[in-house]
Amino acid sequence: MLSHLLHRLGIESVVLETRSRDYVERRVRAGVLEQGSADLLTSAGVGERMIREGLSHDGINLRFAGEQHRIDFRRLTGRGITVYGQQEVVKDLIKQRLEDGGEIWFETEATAVEAIDGDRPRIVYLEDGVPTTLQCEFVAGCDGSHGVASPAVLGSTYERTYPFAWLGILAKTPPAADELIYAYHERGFALHSMRSPEISRLYLQVDAAETMDAWPEDRVWNELRLRLAEPGLQPGEIIEDGITPMRSLVTEPMQRGRLFLAGDAAHIVPATGAKGMNLALGDVRVLAEALAASYRSKSRDLLERYSEVCLRRVWRAEHFSAWMTALLHRDPEGDPFEHKLRLSYLRYVTTSEAAATTLAENYVGFDGA
Ligand code: PHB
């Protein structure tokens, strides 16, 4: 996305991608776009398929203690969300970049970022196993939390781990509800999401150390049926499955010299708030504008404030994601006091207009942080 935005601003870039095109286009990730993210894709001319195939939702459902409540985003905030898989966004962006003659070097592993404090930073990458140098004016570290960019900033890390993970499946079965269902159950959290009228995306809270071996298909469907309490959910062929750990992490600052971190390289959120892709898109929107301003007017103001501007939005999303996670997951110790507190808070969020608005405005994306 950054490369595409820069191209539209007349700035050349090269994207180094460790994996193959096939791998990144297939890798299943979360699928919720905040209104601002959907608007960004559309205004940048890469939203055509998302508008056609994405599912517009005006709210979510919360289920707990045998009750179902809807949080009406549209009424509470005037905004909604679009359910559209992250790898679909990736496919659309790659296609557009290649059509525009953009350079994406697939299966090219960056091994270091050097000289970021000077005017000519470098990326070292492997070409046929031989370390080779790419000289740049600026480097954007969009290489995730295990990449080489993040440590080069020498910043501070703020981190939280959780004693549970998400087991996710993609299944050939029609979604049993029109909107997402977030369920808090004594057996643990479950989420019902979707990708299309034929494909559902479903998640279960499992212990952090769990592996797929312990989860044959019928156990997965059984558990989903119990926790979601959704009679309309029919088992179907599982096309993809996997276990994703839950983590909260922020690196501060998000920049040093001519290196700027964006997306997971700078921050990780647990998937409960569906914020990961939205935060990354928010970062690169700010970064593209700041880079353009520095070329246009030689003014470094915006670039210098990149981290500060991003971190306000990032920390709001970090809080929201950790809060949603605490609200909806069973703690493995099963503390009964915590359970009662959670039920009380869920009732509050679903009956108080003020509390419901807090959830809604954060879910659709709060841009006043
Ligand atoms: C998804 O559809 O994959 C999804 C939806 C909502 C979440 C996380 C993942 O909070």
Side-chain angles (χ1 to χ4, degrees):
M1 185 65 183
L2 178 61
S3 178
H4 174 66
L5 292 174
L6 291 175
H7 167 70
R8 286 169 61 92
L9 292 161
I11 301 166
E12 278 178 37
S13 65
V14 175
V15 178
L16 285 82
E17 169 55 60
T18 307
R19 306 287 190 160
S20 68
R21 179 174 180 181
D22 188 55
Y23 178 93
V24 295
E25 290 190 342
R26 270 174 204 260
R27 190 161 181 237
V28 181
R29 319 295 291 157
V32 173
L33 288 162
E34 294 173 357
Q35 177 109 38
S37 301
D39 292 348
L40 176 66
L41 293 172
T42 305
S43 66
V46 282
E48 197 192 306
R49 196 164 67 93
M50 173 204 66
I51 291 171
R52 216 172 43 227
E53 295 176 19
L55 307 164
S56 294
H57 288 192
D58 286 337
I60 55 166
N61 300 297
L62 294 181
R63 270 187 201 173
F64 55 93
E67 300 170 30
Q68 149 127 328
H69 301 266
R70 179 165 185 264
I71 307 283
D72 188 335
F73 296 161
R74 185 67 58 187
R75 187 177 67 75
L76 294 164
T77 70
R79 289 181 289 164
I81 53 164
T82 304
V83 178
Y84 187 64
Q86 180 167 321
Q87 80 269 32
E88 305 305 324
V89 176
V90 168
K91 278 183 210 160
D92 296 344
L93 286 169
I94 290 174
K95 181 164 169 280
Q96 188 65 46
R97 278 317 287 131
L98 297 179
E99 268 173 31
D100 289 339
E103 298 218 39
I104 309 179
W105 301 354
F106 289 102
E107 294 174 74
T108 302
E109 188 189 346
T111 54
V113 187
E114 296 179 342
I116 54 175
D117 293 325
D119 285 347
R120 281 280 178 268
R122 299 185 293 268
I123 299 173
V124 183
Y125 64 96
L126 297 178
E127 190 169 279
D128 301 324
V130 182
T132 311
T133 297
L134 176 65
Q135 199 152 86
C136 317
E137 285 174 337
F138 297 97
V139 177
C142 311
D143 54 346
S145 63
H146 302 294
V148 293
S150 188
V153 168
L154 304 174
S156 312
T157 300
Y158 301 83
E159 190 170 11
R160 172 177 291 179
T161 54
Y162 299 86
F164 38 75
W166 275 17
L167 184 163
I169 61 164
L170 197 63
K172 276 195 189 156
T173 185
D178 291 340
E179 291 175 331
L180 272 57
I181 305 169
Y182 285 82
Y184 172 64
H185 193 276
E186 278 172 43
R187 302 177 69 89
F189 168 75
L191 171 62
H192 175 289
S193 182
M194 59 211 67
R195 288 293 176 271
S196 73
E198 297 83 36
I199 308 279
S200 300
R201 177 80 174 146
L202 300 144
Y203 296 98
L204 286 170
Q205 172 187 353
V206 296
D207 284 345
E210 204 79 59
T211 61
M212 281 312 297
D213 302 341
W215 288 88
E217 293 198 6
D218 50 349
R219 182 173 179 207
V220 172
W221 289 112
N222 242 339
E223 205 60 34
L224 283 167
R225 208 177 45 238
L226 286 170
R227 297 190 197 178
L228 288 168
E230 175 47 65
L233 180 66
Q234 296 296 329
E237 184 195 337
I238 297 181
I239 320 166
E240 196 264 355
D241 62 28
I243 293 182
T244 314
M246 303 286 267
R247 196 153 63 115
S248 296
L249 181 146
V250 180
T251 304
E252 286 193 19
M254 288 169 58
Q255 66 194 86
R256 178 170 154 188
R258 285 180 171 246
L259 170 64
F260 299 84
L261 304 179
D264 282 11
H267 40 73
I268 304 280
V269 281
T272 327
K275 291 285 172 227
M277 166 168 50
N278 296 293
L279 283 180
L281 290 171
D283 292 346
V284 299
R285 166 201 263 161
V286 177
L287 185 52
E289 275 165 24
L291 286 168
S294 87
Y295 280 110
R296 232 183 359 247
S297 63
K298 305 264 176 264
S299 150
R300 285 289 174 78
D301 276 13
L302 277 177
L303 267 184
E304 272 159 22
R305 288 195 298 117
Y306 168 71
S307 177
E308 184 194 324
V309 169
C310 287
L311 283 169
R312 297 175 77 96
R313 177 177 37 80
V314 166
W315 275 112
R316 177 88 304 279
E318 287 288 345
H319 174 267
F320 175 66
S321 305
W323 176 80
M324 279 280 277
T325 303
L327 182 65
L328 290 161
H329 289 72
R330 181 183 177 279
D331 57 309
E333 313 285 289
D335 180 344
F337 191 81
E338 287 289 337
H339 173 64
K340 291 285 187 188
L341 288 181
R342 214 167 273 130
L343 286 179
S344 170
Y345 208 107
L346 281 163
R347 287 213 172 90
Y348 179 52
V349 150
T350 48
T351 48
S352 150
E353 182 94 352
T357 306
T358 294
L359 193 159
E361 74 181 356
N362 280 282
Y363 201 107
V364 299
F366 183 66
D367 44 25

